[in-house]
Amino acid sequence: MAIGPVQLIVLGFPEPSFHGLIMAELERLRASDTIRVIDALAVHKDVDGQVEVAHLSNLSDEEAVELGSKVGALIGLGIEGDAGVAAGAEAGARASADGIQVFSDQDAWDVLEEIPNGSAAALLLIEHNWAVPLRDAVMAAGGFRLADGFISPLDLIGIGLVTAEEARELHTAETATVGAG
């Protein structure tokens, strides 16, 4: 099965009550075939750093366990518990044995560490369907991905895409943390 470019997006929230608006927008993007949500998790981290995880979908807990948590496997957090983490480790070991470079501990992204205590996060693993034809055209021309990343609104001032005031507002909104005023 061919798959488009996949991205893990981690969005922070002061409270774990963010389902309605986000789920509606994800459904709109899915309906337009812009993206496909591969998996989505809600993570709540209490003030002591204890983590609670739930799927952000209409799946029952049993269906979620049956289908597996792709985000959980990616970041080493399984709704399936130890069995899910073990299955992910086995898949990584098989890929490595087949000569495929997998993440090293040095390259790992500790997503849970970045979630502040006393807050919540939505972890969205999405496939960018819109980018498949572009990626295929780049590959057909002999090209390949060297790097990618989101650009800070502050960096857009110098090229005239936003004003300094707009950039400050966007930057503040994008990087706000729990408890920040």
Side-chain angles (χ1 to χ4, degrees):
M1 162 175 88
I3 189 165
V6 175
Q7 179 180 27
L8 176 63
I9 301 173
V10 182
L11 306 169
F13 297 89
E15 299 289 329
S17 56
F18 45 78
H19 301 273
L21 292 173
I22 294 171
M23 295 305 287
E25 182 58 17
L26 289 172
E27 179 56 31
R28 185 190 71 76
L29 291 168
R30 186 208 56 76
S32 68
D33 204 34
T34 303
I35 67 167
R36 174 174 71 107
V37 177
I38 297 170
D39 193 16
L41 294 181
V43 175
H44 179 250
K45 203 174 193 186
D46 70 18
V47 293
D48 297 321
Q50 295 297 311
V51 175
E52 293 180 34
V53 181
H55 269 275
L56 282 177
S57 71
N58 295 329
L59 298 176
S60 69
D61 287 340
E62 294 78 26
E63 290 170 323
V65 168
E66 181 180 330
L67 293 172
S69 172
K70 304 303 182 203
V71 172
L74 188 64
I75 67 168
L77 173 71
I79 287 180
E80 303 86 352
D82 291 340
V85 172
E90 288 173 19
R94 281 192 305 273
S96 184
D98 289 340
I100 298 172
Q101 176 65 39
V102 295
F103 287 123
S104 67
D105 287 341
Q106 181 180 354
D107 296 332
W109 174 22
D110 190 348
V111 172
L112 296 178
E113 181 64 29
E114 291 190 27
I115 301 169
N117 289 359
S119 70
L123 284 64
L124 308 172
L125 189 64
I126 61 171
E127 176 185 11
H128 291 278
N129 294 336
W130 65 268
V132 172
L134 175 60
R135 180 208 51 207
D136 293 349
V138 168
M139 289 172 43
F144 48 92
R145 179 176 55 92
L146 289 173
D148 56 65
F150 285 108
I151 306 299
S152 166
L154 298 175
D155 295 328
L156 300 177
I157 298 168
I159 60 173
L161 285 179
V162 296
T163 66
E165 182 179 334
E166 291 169 327
R168 277 192 298 276
E169 289 173 9
L170 288 169
H171 177 74
T172 299
E174 287 182 1
T175 60
T177 60
V178 175

